[in-house]
Amino acid sequence: MNVLGIESSCDETAASVVADGKVVLSSVVESQIDLHAIYGGVVPEIASRSHLESINPVIDQALDQAFHVKNGISSREVWDQIDAIAVTHGPGLSGSLLIGTLAARTLAWLHDKPLIGVNHVTAHAYVNWLGNDQPKFPALALIVSGGHTQMVLFKDHFKYQLLGQTRDDAIGEAFDKVAKMLGFSYPGGPSVARAAKNGDAKKYQFPKARMENRYDFSFSGLKTAVLRTLQSEIGEGHSFPSHQLSERLSKAQKDNVAASFQYIAVKTVVDAVERAVEQYNPVSFIIGGGVAANQELREQLQQRIPLEISYPSLELCTDNAVMIATLGFYQSGLHEDVVTPHTLSIKPSLAM
Ligand code: KG4
Ligand code: ZN
């Protein structure tokens, strides 16, 4: 069964064809990073305009790649090989979600294909079901991205328990905000990780939030602690503007703050994973989302979690449509998840 996946929830326009939820036939990701970098974060208006320009070419390219389209093959013959269309309908930016879902609805109607609305966050976990070596249940999943930080226990497909989630900023968002204070380029995760390599992670003791639910997270206090430390490092008070900090900081100060911040942000999630492994005794542990690319996270998990961890490749950690097609394949077996092109609506605040 070939599923065409479409993703446009934030700042990547992506399309992919996946066979049987296992084999990637194509994956095209058009990133808007350069468009947003000068603003230091995603600008929703710019994102939706860019999705609008890219969505059709990206889908065409994914179909061409998947079926090695050569001159002479009709669009009809290509579409005959697609069995269903899966699209991210939430959570995400409204304007961005609209472009992907409208494209998917139009194509499903035009080519008479089943249509499936997919949860972007669940899909970050499902990328781990690609290939032949699939996670066994119960599987503990850690989803760490720019928009989400959550821990989920999958007892079976579609039978899961949300153990905890962030109460304020997502971990990736905290990386992005700290990067901005340090004057690093967007997206901040990779820049902070690079600087941290040269820094001393023990130089500053940033606080770790204590939560009522032992699996919940909070990163906004950590972000404020970093801001206060930077202000006092340059001898200024709390009112000193964060966008003027970086020019007054030395490279060593930036590297040390990056390393100390990264250490505690990562430790926060690894502590929670360790507790969940002890309490729920999962057979497998899976990870997804952009922050799963972080090397410090991988090292701390390896040292402390007594389970084999399989990491998605770097391009499958960050936003992509392979994960949407993969989850779409599993949802295609659920009658209630297959919707008509007339009824699929966006769900910007969709929870797991
Ligand atoms: O999953 P993703 O592409 O988009 C969302 O669904 O949010 O994740 C993007 C996030 C950004 O916050 C980015 O800074 C972070 O993932 N990220 C990293 C790394 N690579 C990307 N954070 C820490 N270390 C990295 N190496
Ligand atoms: Zn994502």
Side-chain angles (χ1 to χ4, degrees):
M1 177 178 184
N2 292 330
V3 178
L4 168 66
I6 299 174
E7 154 65 33
S8 73
S9 65
C10 190
D11 59 345
E12 261 94 25
T13 320
S16 156
V17 180
V18 174
D20 300 325
K22 282 187 177 172
V23 184
V24 180
L25 300 187
S26 67
S27 175
V28 179
V29 180
E30 174 96 6
S31 172
Q32 303 174 3
I33 282 178
D34 294 347
L35 294 179
H36 301 288
I38 46 169
Y39 303 101
V42 178
V43 183
E45 262 297 294
I46 294 176
S48 44
R49 277 163 203 258
S50 172
H51 285 304
L52 188 58
E53 281 168 19
S54 306
I55 193 87
N56 285 331
V58 164
I59 293 171
D60 285 346
Q61 228 181 308
L63 293 171
D64 287 2
Q65 263 183 26
F67 305 115
H68 309 288
V69 172
K70 298 183 194 78
N71 286 342
I73 296 187
S74 70
S75 146
R76 177 73 186 245
E77 285 170 284
V78 172
W79 276 98
D80 279 348
Q81 303 188 62
I82 294 293
D83 300 294
I85 300 176
V87 63
T88 305
H89 66 146
L93 301 168
S94 311
S96 294
L97 288 166
L98 263 181
I99 308 298
T101 50
L102 283 175
R105 289 171 62 176
T106 309
L107 291 169
W109 176 77
L110 199 62
H111 300 287
D112 196 20
K113 304 290 175 188
L115 179 63
I116 300 151
V118 164
N119 180 316
H120 177 94
V121 184
T122 316
H124 269 303
Y126 260 77
V127 87
N128 290 285
W129 266 270
L130 280 169
N132 291 320
D133 193 13
Q134 298 172 329
K136 308 229 173 3
F137 296 110
L140 178 68
L142 174 70
I143 300 150
V144 276
S145 74
H148 305 275
T149 308
Q150 45 198 63
M151 216 161 39
V152 185
L153 187 69
F154 285 89
K155 294 167 186 165
D156 201 341
H157 290 297
F158 311 113
K159 286 203 184 104
Y160 57 75
Q161 182 184 351
L162 177 62
L163 301 181
Q165 59 191 327
T166 183
R167 292 286 152 198
D168 40 59
D169 293 350
I171 183 170
E173 197 177 349
F175 269 91
D176 294 338
K177 286 176 176 168
V178 167
K180 209 167 174 178
M181 292 180 218
L182 296 174
F184 295 161
S185 59
Y186 173 84
S191 338
V192 169
R194 256 191 314 275
K197 277 199 189 128
N198 309 312
D200 173 5
K202 299 269 157 24
K203 177 80 186 172
Y204 303 98
Q205 267 77 51
F206 292 126
K208 188 177 158 255
R210 291 186 69 86
M211 310 301 291
E212 216 173 289
N213 168 3
R214 60 209 296 256
Y215 299 120
D216 274 349
F217 306 99
S218 162
F219 292 100
S220 77
L222 172 58
K223 176 192 67 191
T224 309
V226 170
L227 174 63
R228 298 289 175 249
T229 300
L230 293 174
Q231 286 165 328
S232 88
E233 278 290 304
I234 59 166
E236 296 284 355
H238 291 184
S239 57
F240 189 81
S242 62
H243 64 273
Q244 287 174 17
L245 285 166
S246 79
E247 59 208 48
R248 303 261 302 265
L249 292 162
S250 68
K251 181 179 178 304
Q253 281 171 317
K254 291 184 186 185
D255 291 348
N256 291 336
V257 166
S260 305
F261 157 78
Q262 176 179 256
Y263 171 77
I264 199 73
V266 165
K267 185 176 184 308
T268 302
V269 291
V270 177
D271 285 350
V273 171
E274 191 178 56
R275 284 196 292 273
V277 168
E278 276 167 22
Q279 182 172 353
Y280 297 101
N281 209 10
V283 177
S284 34
F285 173 67
I286 56 181
I287 185 163
V291 184
N294 185 274
Q295 207 50 45
E296 172 73 18
L297 175 62
R298 293 177 178 215
E299 279 163 26
Q300 287 194 29
L301 284 170
Q302 201 190 341
Q303 281 162 15
R304 295 179 48 198
I305 305 305
L307 286 168
E308 200 181 308
I309 310 169
S310 65
Y311 292 98
S313 61
L314 290 190
E315 61 278 12
L316 294 180
C317 285
T318 47
D319 286 352
N320 63 83
V322 173
M323 64 188 200
I324 307 304
T326 306
L327 177 53
F329 167 78
Y330 285 93
Q331 282 181 248
S332 67
L334 300 176
H335 181 66
E336 66 275 19
D337 280 13
V338 180
V339 294
T340 79
H342 305 288
T343 53
L344 183 77
S345 58
I346 60 163
K347 297 195 164 63
S349 317
L350 182 66
M352 263 189 89

